[in-house]
């Protein structure tokens, strides 16, 4: 169970009302997902994962934002064993990165999992075009189509239409789950299963959290809300395990896109200690006092545990509110719980400050401008 080292006066009745609002929201499908996962789809995901592992040395995962950060976070943290290596593409518009990924795959056998809910996002679309060409060159059109796995909307979008027309295997991002809340759908489950993550255990952890995480999430969201009210406008997510760097990235996206709107929201940032004690550590200890720190305390070795204590003490003395979230285990179950805890905390936090946790108008603004520039 997630353990918090801080207390906050929670309004249980108010919390229950917010939970009800989330459950009723057209984008609140993630709330019960771990218990209500479509078993037919889950079986297809595991079959596809086996097929990919049997046929491919590489799986190229193409996607950006919520379509990639969650599964990368878990795969990088747990370093599972699989003969099939995961390569990421389509998460920037850098030609250098794309060329690197194409070169890395080289002449090896590979498959592609292209992930885009809208099916229209530019970054994955460009990378997919390049890898599709490579697949066709290597395996011919029919062989290539058998190595393409599309995770997208059930009914609409350019990717959906192409996948349906060409017969790629298709997996669904449910209508009622947005990108950054989708890691426990096919978006994350297929790449994680290929990489060797025990996805049953991950879902088990998340499923347990449906009951156990409610009170800690409400406590954490309430504490964030009160700190925000006291002008602490920056939250530093701190971890002492370097392998969780991408979990921090997922957290920044989750909170940044969910809360940062209508000129409101806490700015999320992240550090890995002790590494960053030798860089941002100075600012955190001594700089402007507008930030609070949320330590994600994974089970760790004795030496590292001492660093956790030292940081908690030094930063508290430096005038920083330090919140600590204790993670029960560094495995699939622990991460399942943690994912659910943060998704719930984030949605509750956004509701408390009065913004919609499930839209991202700011991301759309950049997409529109880029399209205008490219049209010129
Ligand atoms: O969380 C979100 O909704 C976004 O980060 C999206 O995941 C991201 O913009 C990618 O969108 P799509 O999956 O439609 O390509």
């Amino acid at each position: 169970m997630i353990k918090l080292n801080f207390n906050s006066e929670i309004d249980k009745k108010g919390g229950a009302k917010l939970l009800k609002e989330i459950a009723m929201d057209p984008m609140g499908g993630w709330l019960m997902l771990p218990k209500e996962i479509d078993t037919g789809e889950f079986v297809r995901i595991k079959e596809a994962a086996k097929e990919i592992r049997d046929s491919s040395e590489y799986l190229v995962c193409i996607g950006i934002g919520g379509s990639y950060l969650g599964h990368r976070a878990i795969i990088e943290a747990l370093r599972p064993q699989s003969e099939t290596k995961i390569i990421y593409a389509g998460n920037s518009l850098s030609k250098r990165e794309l060329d690197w990924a194409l070169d890395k795959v080289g002449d090896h056998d590979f498959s592609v999992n292209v992930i885009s809910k809208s099916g229209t996002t530019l970054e994955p679309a460009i990378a997919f075009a390049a890898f599709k060409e490579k697949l066709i060159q290597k395996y011919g059109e029919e062989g290539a189509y058998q190595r393409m796995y599309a995770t997208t909307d059930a009914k609409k979008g350019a990717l959906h239409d192409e996948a349906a027309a060409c017969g790629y295997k298709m997996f669904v991002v449910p209508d009622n789950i947005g990108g950054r809340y989708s890691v426990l759908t096919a978006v994350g489950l297929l790449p994680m299963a290929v990489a060797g993550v025990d996805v049953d255990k991950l879902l088990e952890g998340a499923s347990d959290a449906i009951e156990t995480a409610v009170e800690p999430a409400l406590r954490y969201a309430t504490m964030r809300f009160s700190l925000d009210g006291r002008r602490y406008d920056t939250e530093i997510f701190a971890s002492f395990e370097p392998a969780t760097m991408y979990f921090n990235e997922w957290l920044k996206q989750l909170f940044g896109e969910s809360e940062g709107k209508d000129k409101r929201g806490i700015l999320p940032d992240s550090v890995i200690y002790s590494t960053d004690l030798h860089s941002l550590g100075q600012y955190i200890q001594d700089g402007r006092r507008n930030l609070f720190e949320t330590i994600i305390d994974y089970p760790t070795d004795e030496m590292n545990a001492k660093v956790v204590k030292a940081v908690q003490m030094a930063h508290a003395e430096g005038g920083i509110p330090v919140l600590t979230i204790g993670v029960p285990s560094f495995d699939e179950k622990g991460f399942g719980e943690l994912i659910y805890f943060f998704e719930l905390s984030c949605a509750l936090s956004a509701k408390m400050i009065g913004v919609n946790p499930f839209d991202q108008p700011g991301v759309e603004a950049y997409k529109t401008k880029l399209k205008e520039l490219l049209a010129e």
Side-chain angles (χ1 to χ4, degrees):
M1 245 171 80
I2 300 285
K3 285 219 164 66
L4 309 181
N5 82 330
F6 57 90
N7 226 328
S8 47
E9 268 310 293
I10 54 172
D11 167 6
K12 286 203 173 157
K13 221 162 135 205
K17 189 170 159 271
L18 295 182
L19 268 178
K20 199 162 163 204
E21 272 177 42
I22 295 168
M24 305 292 285
D25 194 291
M27 299 309 287
W30 53 272
L31 194 67
M32 292 309 291
L33 174 77
K35 277 207 196 305
E36 291 173 355
I37 191 139
D38 175 339
T39 41
E41 172 98 336
F42 194 35
V43 169
R44 286 182 60 241
I45 290 170
K46 289 194 209 167
E47 284 168 358
K50 179 167 180 339
E51 186 175 88
I52 295 168
R53 288 172 70 142
D54 287 346
S55 67
S56 306
E57 290 164 86
Y58 284 106
L59 173 67
V60 184
C61 286
I62 299 179
I64 194 164
S67 289
Y68 115 99
L69 280 167
H71 52 92
R72 186 163 192 175
I74 303 306
I75 292 168
E76 304 240 337
L78 293 178
R79 300 182 176 139
Q81 294 301 311
S82 170
E83 298 280 299
T84 308
K85 302 284 165 249
I86 308 289
I87 288 200
Y88 300 93
N91 53 63
S92 78
L93 284 169
S94 158
K95 185 164 178 323
R96 184 171 288 116
E97 287 301 301
L98 180 56
D99 287 346
W100 176 87
L102 288 161
D103 276 1
K104 180 90 184 160
V105 170
D107 289 333
H108 297 278
D109 280 315
F110 73 105
S111 299
V112 170
N113 182 198
V114 53
I115 309 167
S116 174
K117 177 164 183 174
S118 63
T120 54
T121 309
L122 192 61
E123 290 89 339
I126 289 176
F128 183 49
F131 275 100
K132 183 161 72 178
E133 196 183 316
K134 191 173 170 74
L135 273 174
I136 293 174
Q137 268 170 16
K138 189 169 167 70
Y139 301 103
E141 210 162 84
E142 213 179 299
Y145 293 172
Q146 283 168 13
R147 286 173 174 269
M148 293 193 201
Y149 300 79
T151 307
T152 189
D153 190 272
K155 298 186 211 81
K156 57 178 190 307
L159 178 58
H160 166 273
D161 296 350
E162 178 181 327
C166 299
Y168 312 156
K169 279 182 200 81
M170 279 166 82
F171 297 93
V172 172
V173 192
D175 274 352
N176 58 359
I177 302 182
R180 57 193 174 277
Y181 293 84
S182 71
V183 55
L184 299 175
T185 72
V187 167
L189 294 175
L190 179 57
M192 288 191 282
V194 173
V197 172
D198 185 339
V199 287
D200 289 287
K201 284 255 148 51
L202 192 77
L203 283 171
E204 205 183 306
S207 183
D208 290 351
I210 292 180
E211 271 105 50
T212 61
V214 173
E215 189 168 328
L218 189 55
R219 229 172 255 294
Y220 172 48
T222 305
M223 179 58 96
R224 293 179 87 254
F225 181 68
S226 112
L227 288 166
D228 192 13
R230 285 152 54 201
R231 297 193 182 280
Y232 289 98
D233 59 13
T234 303
E235 177 172 25
I236 310 274
F237 291 107
S239 155
F240 294 72
E241 288 295 338
T244 62
M245 191 191 96
Y246 267 93
F247 197 84
N248 283 352
E249 293 305 310
W250 177 75
L251 281 173
K252 285 193 278 193
Q253 192 230 355
L254 178 67
F255 281 89
E257 274 194 3
S258 300
E259 278 195 324
K261 49 198 75 154
D262 301 340
K263 311 287 173 282
R264 281 175 243 180
I266 293 167
L267 174 71
D269 199 354
S270 70
V271 289
I272 295 287
Y273 293 150
S274 66
T275 314
D276 288 327
L277 288 171
H278 302 262
S279 79
L280 273 187
Q282 171 61 39
Y283 190 100
I284 294 169
Q285 185 70 47
D286 257 352
R288 277 181 62 192
R289 298 298 74 180
N290 63 331
L291 51 91
F292 66 99
E293 190 166 48
T294 299
I295 291 179
I296 305 165
D297 192 13
Y298 299 100
T300 194
D301 58 277
E302 218 180 308
M303 177 70 202
N304 221 9
K306 291 250 182 312
V307 188
V308 178
K309 279 222 154 54
V311 165
Q312 285 167 325
M313 282 155 59
H315 289 180
E317 273 171 28
I320 299 192
V322 181
L323 318 179
T324 303
I325 293 168
V327 186
S329 56
F330 201 93
D331 58 9
E332 282 86 344
K333 263 194 96 176
F335 275 102
E337 246 185 280
L338 200 57
I339 287 169
Y340 190 86
F341 165 79
F342 276 120
E343 285 179 347
L344 185 57
S345 304
C346 178
L348 287 168
S349 288
K351 288 263 170 203
M352 285 179 188
I353 60 167
V355 299
N356 179 354
F358 308 123
D359 66 359
Q360 54 284 325
V363 181
E364 303 310 321
Y366 132 80
K367 287 184 184 174
T368 311
K369 287 278 176 253
L370 181 62
K371 277 189 190 138
E372 282 168 16
L373 288 175
L374 290 175
E376 278 170 23

